């Protein structure tokens, strides 16, 4: 039964809904209007909100006449009109009820919902025009300092930006205005940071954002100093190490006299001993104490001021090093140490003094030494100290300076000008100070600044051009000379190459070490162009060949040809051919004019001499003769000489010019490379043998 009842109920409900829809459709025929209408805010008055469709004879009116004069709508014919400006921020929607009535008095109620659309017409707003926040200098990177957001009545998403851009702080993102620490902070470097935060209701990088509104606020960030630094002795030099700032002190120095007690506060350099808290924003009180170096109890230190005083005199020469501790009074973990070096010296009996009470000088330019106008010599400023009698009063610890002026410098007592000055006369004061005890002396210094005298008629562009041209010509001449020398060197190298090739050729034809080698000819090209055509061996370019050795078999049966060097000799070649009989008959006294054959490195052009040069000098008085055998091109002439009849030879023997007795010279291959000609045997002892001579070409 329950199932049947449920089925009936669903069917009945569906039928009822269908009837209502049919009735509504029938009724809608007299008037109709959109159920929802979107209408923008900030509209103009009397703007049409919606149009109502009605059948002829149908009238429309508000179901409930508006009682308020601020009612935003009115009906004008078949149109719904806005009577005032609508504001989305005041009311986001409006419900309008209208009744349609026809001539039969049938009415139909319709509802129009006017949805006011939002427009970007309101700027963002910050809660305050400025904010102040504090942040510790030890805040880690990424720590959130505070949140600074703005509101927008339009409900738009806001975008934020910091200006000017800071390297210490940043925003979490463009839409989340959390201020974060970007890098470690340092109170001593930056104590306050002012930032301006901007809020915009359109994206920051939008090209055509349409209506856009912005707002801004100022953020004052104060960095709080934290006690994270130890005391710093003054003066000190600041250094940054890995982001941390440290201040390094070079220590203090002082002097005391042997066996004398210094009264009052001990003077120190570079100043009195004191320290300050490294955290300038805290400035903790500092206490002082001597850690070491005061074993004899000579000194005492004031714990509040750091002043050192002397309790008793020092009786030993030397240096005393005190280690002084400075610590924060409320935080002893923050401390620092420094060294006080005290020199115990012998008392000075004499102060430095200048040799002159006043010095006068003339100086012409920067870097020039000042001159004494009287002696015309460089001015020497010297102060003496009678405590240094062993060095003639010269104290090596004295330094010189010009009081109140940096335009001059004194080096080893000589005055120099350090920058250009106009011509004028200056009155200065020179100070000599003993660096061991700070004793000083002063003297007057008169400096006359003069312009350097430049000779008249200085060099112009034309003169410089002439000098340049002259130098160019000289350079060209030098290059030509170098080229000539190079050519000569190459030509000499070619001559040596010929000698080397001849030596190699001769070596290639050599026999064993036990016998002489076949005839190898060495041509002396110096005689090829000899003007004396009648001399022996000068008739052709190859007549000057020197035979080093002949085969033993040929040497026994053949005659050797000698070149008899004579003054203006005109004998033909066959006249000087040699054999055993002619050699035996040639031993005559040298009663006639003596002819001296010469072996030398230089060509002899003297009248009556014919010379041969072989790299090494040979004694001109050795009376040694060189055997010159014509080369292959003269073989025919040699045969003719050998075939001469004996009568011709006999005529030669009876000639009025007898042959001068000379020793014969041969060359063997062992001496080719020695550069020497050596006589092997005296002809007086062995007239039948040949004299052996070695020579290197």
């Amino acid at each position: 039964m329950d199932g049947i009842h449920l089925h009936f109920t669903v069917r009945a409900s569906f039928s009822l809904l269908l009837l209502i829809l049919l009735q509504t459709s029938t009724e809608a025929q007299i008037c109709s209007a959109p159920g929802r209408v979107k209408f923008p805010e900030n509209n103009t008055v009397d703007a049409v909100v919606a149009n109502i469709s009605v059948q002829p004879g149908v009238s429309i009116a508000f179901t409930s006449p508006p009682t308020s004069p601020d009612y935003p709508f009115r009906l004008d014919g078949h149109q719904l009109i806005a009577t005032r400006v609508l504001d989305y921020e005041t009311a986001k929607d409006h419900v309008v009820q209208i009744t349609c009535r026809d001539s039969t008095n049938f009415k139909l109620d319709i509802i129009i919902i006017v949805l006011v659309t939002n427009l970007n017409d309101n700027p963002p707003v910050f809660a305050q025009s400025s904010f102040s926040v504090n942040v510790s200098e030890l805040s880690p990177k990424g720590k959130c300092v505070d949140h600074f957001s703005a509101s927008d009545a339009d409900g738009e998403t806001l975008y934020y930006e910091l200006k000017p851009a800071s390297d210490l702080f940043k925003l979490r993102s463009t839409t989340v205005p959390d201020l974060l620490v970007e890098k470690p902070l340092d109170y001593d470097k930056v104590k306050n940071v002012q930032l301006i935060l901007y809020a915009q209701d359109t994206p920051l990088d939008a090209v055509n954002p349409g209506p856009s509104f912005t707002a801004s606020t100022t953020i004052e960030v104060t960095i709080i100093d934290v006690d994270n630094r130890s005391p710093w002795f003054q003066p000190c030099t600041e250094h940054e190490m890995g982001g941390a700032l440290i201040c390094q002190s070079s220590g203090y120095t002082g002097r005391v006299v042997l066996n004398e007690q210094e009264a009052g506060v001990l003077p120190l350099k570079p100043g009195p001993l004191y320290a300050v808290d490294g955290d300038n924003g805290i400035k903790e009180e500092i206490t002082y104490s001597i850690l070491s170096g005061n074993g004899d109890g000579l000194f005492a230190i004031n714990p509040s001021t750091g002043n050192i005083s002397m309790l008793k005199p020092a009786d030993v020469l030397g240096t005393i090093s005190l280690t002084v501790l400075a610590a924060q009074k409320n935080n002893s973990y923050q401390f620092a140490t420094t060294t006080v070096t005290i020199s115990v010296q012998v008392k000075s009996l004499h102060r430095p003094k200048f040799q002159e009470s006043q010095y006068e000088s003339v100086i012409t330019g920067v870097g020039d030494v000042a001159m004494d106008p009287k002696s015309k010599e460089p001015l020497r400023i010297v102060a003496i100290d009678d405590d240094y009698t062993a060095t003639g009063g010269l104290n090596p610890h004295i330094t010189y300076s010009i009081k109140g002026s940096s335009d001059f410098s004194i080096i080893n007592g000589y005055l120099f000008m350090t920058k250009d000055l106009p011509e004028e006369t200056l009155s200065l004061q020179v100070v000599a100070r003993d660096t061991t005890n700070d004793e000083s002396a002063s003297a007057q210094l008169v400096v006359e600044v003069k312009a350097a005298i430049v000779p008249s008629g200085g060099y112009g562009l034309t003169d410089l051009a002439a000098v340049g041209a002259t130098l160019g010509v000289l350079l060209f001449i030098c290059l030509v000379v170098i080229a000539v020398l190079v050519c000569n060197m190459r030509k000499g190298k070619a001559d040596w190459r010929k000698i080397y090739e001849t030596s190699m050729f001769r070596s290639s034809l050599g026999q064993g070490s036990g016998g002489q080698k076949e005839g190898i000819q060495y041509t002396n090209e110096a005689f090829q162009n000899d003007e004396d055509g009648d001399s022996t061996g000068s008739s052709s370019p190859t007549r000057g060949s020197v035979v080093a050795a002949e085969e033993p078999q040929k040497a026994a049966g053949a005659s050797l040809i000698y070149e008899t060097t004579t003054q203006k000799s005109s004998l033909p070649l066959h006249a000087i051919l040699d054999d055993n009989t002619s050699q035996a008959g040639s031993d005559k006294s040298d009663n006639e004019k003596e002819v001296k054959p010469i072996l030398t490195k230089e060509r002899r052009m003297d009248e009556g001499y014919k010379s041969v040069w072989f790299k090494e000098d040979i004694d001109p008085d050795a009376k040694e003769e060189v055997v010159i055998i014509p080369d292959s091109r003269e073989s025919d002439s040699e045969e003719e000489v050998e075939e001469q009849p004996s009568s011709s030879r006999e005529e030669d023997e009876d000639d009025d010019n007898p042959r001068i007795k000379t020793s014969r010279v041969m060359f063997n291959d062992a001496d080719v490379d020695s550069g020497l000609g050596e006589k092997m045997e005296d002809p007086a002892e062995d007239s039948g043998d040949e004299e052996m001579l070695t020579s290197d070409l």
Side-chain angles (χ1 to χ4, degrees):
M1 292 294 294
D2 293 338
I4 297 174
H5 179 71
L6 179 61
H7 179 70
F8 177 77
T9 304
V10 172
R11 187 173 60 180
S13 299
F14 179 75
S15 299
L16 179 61
L17 179 60
L18 182 59
L19 290 175
I20 293 174
L21 291 175
L22 291 175
Q23 182 182 3
T24 302
S25 175
T26 303
E27 294 174 352
Q29 293 178 358
I30 64 172
C31 68
S32 64
R36 292 175 177 270
V37 177
K38 291 184 177 181
F39 190 72
E41 65 174 341
N42 301 329
N43 59 285
T44 58
V45 178
D46 295 334
V48 177
V49 178
N51 291 311
I52 303 172
S53 299
V54 297
Q55 297 292 332
V58 177
S59 61
I60 59 175
F62 291 113
T63 302
S64 299
T67 58
S68 173
D70 293 334
Y71 191 72
F73 304 103
R74 65 181 176 86
L75 291 173
D76 184 5
H78 300 158
Q79 293 180 331
L80 180 64
I81 304 299
T83 58
R84 61 181 178 85
V85 177
L86 302 182
D87 186 9
Y88 174 84
E89 288 74 28
T90 302
K92 294 180 176 56
D93 56 60
H94 300 271
V95 178
V96 179
Q97 295 180 352
I98 299 175
T99 301
C100 300
R101 191 183 300 272
D102 61 6
S103 58
T104 62
N105 203 23
F106 176 77
K107 64 178 182 179
L108 176 64
D109 294 332
I110 59 176
I111 298 175
I112 300 175
I113 300 176
V114 179
L115 301 176
V116 181
T117 57
N118 188 23
L119 298 179
N120 186 14
D121 58 347
N122 293 286
V125 177
F126 283 101
Q128 299 176 210
S129 60
S130 63
F131 296 88
S132 297
V133 292
N134 297 330
V135 58
S136 171
E137 67 172 340
L138 297 183
S139 298
K141 181 179 179 180
K143 179 181 179 180
C144 181
V145 177
D146 208 339
H147 179 82
F148 306 93
S149 61
S151 60
D152 189 351
D154 295 325
E156 300 287 344
T157 300
L158 298 180
Y159 301 88
Y160 299 89
E161 183 180 15
L162 278 178
K163 291 184 179 180
S166 173
D167 59 344
L168 298 178
F169 301 95
K170 69 174 184 178
L171 295 176
R172 189 180 298 277
S173 69
T174 56
T175 57
V176 181
D178 291 341
L179 187 64
L180 306 180
V181 176
E182 173 65 12
K183 62 182 296 186
L185 307 176
D186 189 347
Y187 173 84
D188 296 291
K189 292 182 178 179
V190 181
K191 297 177 176 59
N192 296 281
V193 177
Q194 185 181 71
L195 303 172
I196 299 178
L197 179 63
Y198 290 87
Q200 183 174 312
D201 55 11
T202 56
L204 299 176
D205 55 353
V207 179
N208 295 312
S212 179
F213 298 92
T214 60
S216 64
T217 186
T218 301
I219 303 175
E220 294 284 348
V221 181
T222 301
I223 299 175
I224 305 301
D225 195 9
V226 179
D227 189 11
N228 63 329
R229 291 199 181 116
S230 60
W232 289 350
F233 283 99
Q234 301 297 310
C236 63
T237 304
E238 294 184 0
H239 302 280
E240 187 171 356
M241 302 289 293
L245 186 65
I246 61 175
C247 200
Q248 181 181 10
S249 173
S250 59
Y252 303 86
T253 59
R255 298 182 183 89
V256 296
V257 179
L258 180 67
N259 296 324
E260 289 187 9
Q261 181 177 350
E262 185 76 24
V265 178
L266 184 66
L268 300 175
K269 287 184 177 182
L273 186 148
Y274 78 101
V276 298
D277 187 359
D279 302 305
N280 295 329
I282 299 177
K283 297 182 180 179
E284 287 284 349
E285 185 178 351
I286 307 298
T287 60
Y288 305 90
S289 60
I290 298 177
L291 288 181
S292 62
N294 194 29
D296 296 336
L298 298 179
F299 305 96
I301 189 170
N302 188 313
S304 300
T305 63
N307 292 331
I308 298 177
S309 58
M310 200 169 186
L311 300 179
K312 57 183 180 179
D315 55 0
V316 178
L317 289 173
T319 301
I320 301 174
S321 295
L322 304 178
T323 302
V324 177
L325 172 71
Q328 293 184 8
K329 186 174 183 179
N330 297 328
N331 184 8
S332 59
Y333 292 102
Q334 298 287 5
F335 64 87
T337 62
T338 189
T339 301
V340 180
T341 303
I342 301 174
S343 176
V344 181
Q345 301 176 348
V346 178
K347 185 177 182 180
S348 175
L349 301 178
H350 303 88
R351 300 175 65 87
K353 60 181 180 180
F354 283 99
Q355 293 177 328
E356 303 288 342
S357 60
Q358 179 174 318
Y359 293 90
E360 296 181 357
S361 64
V362 176
I363 195 165
T364 57
V366 176
D368 295 337
V369 64
M371 305 297 293
D372 189 338
K374 297 178 181 179
S375 63
K376 306 301 181 182
E377 297 290 335
L379 176 66
R380 182 76 184 273
I381 301 174
V382 178
I384 60 175
D385 189 345
D386 292 338
D387 291 332
Y388 291 81
T389 56
T391 59
L394 297 179
N395 183 352
H397 304 290
I398 291 180
T399 60
Y400 301 91
S401 62
I402 304 298
K403 185 176 181 180
S405 176
S406 60
D407 300 334
F408 299 91
S409 176
I410 299 177
I411 303 175
N412 294 329
Y414 294 100
L415 180 66
F416 296 89
M417 188 166 63
T418 58
K419 68 178 183 180
D420 290 325
L421 297 175
E423 293 189 14
E424 59 181 339
T425 301
L426 303 175
S427 180
L428 306 172
Q429 188 178 30
V430 58
V431 178
R433 184 178 303 278
D434 188 348
T435 57
T436 60
N437 51 28
D438 285 340
E439 293 180 344
S440 62
S442 61
Q444 290 298 119
L445 175 62
V446 178
V447 180
E448 183 180 359
V449 180
K450 288 186 176 181
I453 300 176
V454 179
S456 60
Y459 295 106
L461 295 178
T462 304
D463 299 329
L464 295 178
V467 172
T470 303
L471 294 177
V473 171
L474 293 177
L475 178 60
F476 176 76
I477 294 174
C478 292
L479 294 176
V480 171
V481 172
I482 292 173
V484 171
L485 293 177
V486 170
C487 292
N488 291 338
M489 292 176 63
R490 289 183 176 177
K491 185 180 297 182
K493 186 176 180 182
D495 295 340
W496 278 106
R497 186 180 294 110
K498 291 180 180 178
I499 296 174
Y500 172 75
E501 291 174 353
T502 304
S503 177
M504 293 298 296
F505 178 67
R506 182 184 184 281
S507 300
S508 65
L509 299 178
Q511 297 176 354
S513 59
Q516 294 181 346
K517 304 189 178 182
E518 295 182 356
I520 306 301
Q521 294 186 354
Y522 295 89
T523 300
N524 190 344
E525 297 177 355
F527 288 97
Q528 291 180 2
N529 299 322
D530 193 356
E531 296 177 357
D532 189 0
D534 297 332
S535 299
T536 302
S538 62
S539 59
S540 65
T542 60
R543 302 283 293 182
S545 300
V546 180
V547 176
E550 194 71 50
E551 268 188 6
Q553 295 83 358
K554 295 180 181 180
S559 298
L560 296 177
I561 301 175
Y562 288 85
E563 176 187 352
T564 304
T565 307
T566 61
Q567 183 176 10
K568 298 183 179 179
S569 175
S570 61
L571 294 178
L573 180 62
H574 62 83
I576 61 172
L577 292 177
D578 189 19
D579 56 14
N580 295 334
T581 59
S582 63
Q583 177 67 21
S586 64
D587 296 331
K588 300 179 181 180
S589 61
D590 299 333
N591 297 328
E592 299 180 4
K593 183 176 180 180
E594 184 178 7
V595 179
K596 299 179 181 180
I598 299 174
L599 299 179
T600 177
K601 289 196 301 183
E602 299 180 357
R603 184 171 181 176
R604 298 289 297 272
M605 300 300 295
D606 297 343
E607 184 178 1
Y609 285 82
K610 186 66 64 177
S611 60
V612 183
W613 57 98
F614 297 94
K615 301 300 180 181
E616 294 293 339
D617 271 343
I618 297 179
D619 187 4
D621 298 327
K623 298 182 180 180
E624 295 170 346
E625 186 178 53
V626 177
V627 177
I628 300 179
I629 298 177
D631 54 16
S632 61
R633 287 175 292 183
E634 299 177 350
S635 60
D636 296 337
S637 63
E638 290 179 3
E639 293 177 358
E640 294 176 357
V641 172
E642 292 176 358
E643 294 174 359
Q644 286 180 357
S646 59
S647 60
S648 298
R649 298 181 183 177
E650 292 175 357
E651 292 176 0
D652 294 338
E653 292 177 358
D654 297 334
D655 198 294
D656 294 336
N657 294 326
R659 187 173 302 174
I660 299 173
K661 180 180 179 181
T662 58
S663 60
R664 284 178 283 182
V665 180
M666 299 296 290
F667 300 92
N668 61 42
D669 60 335
D671 296 322
V672 170
D673 299 328
S674 66
L676 298 175
E678 182 179 357
K679 185 175 182 180
M680 302 302 295
E681 187 175 4
D682 193 352
E685 297 177 359
D686 188 1
S687 61
D689 296 335
E690 296 178 348
E691 176 180 329
M692 303 302 296
L693 187 77
T694 60
S695 175
D696 179 17
L697 299 181

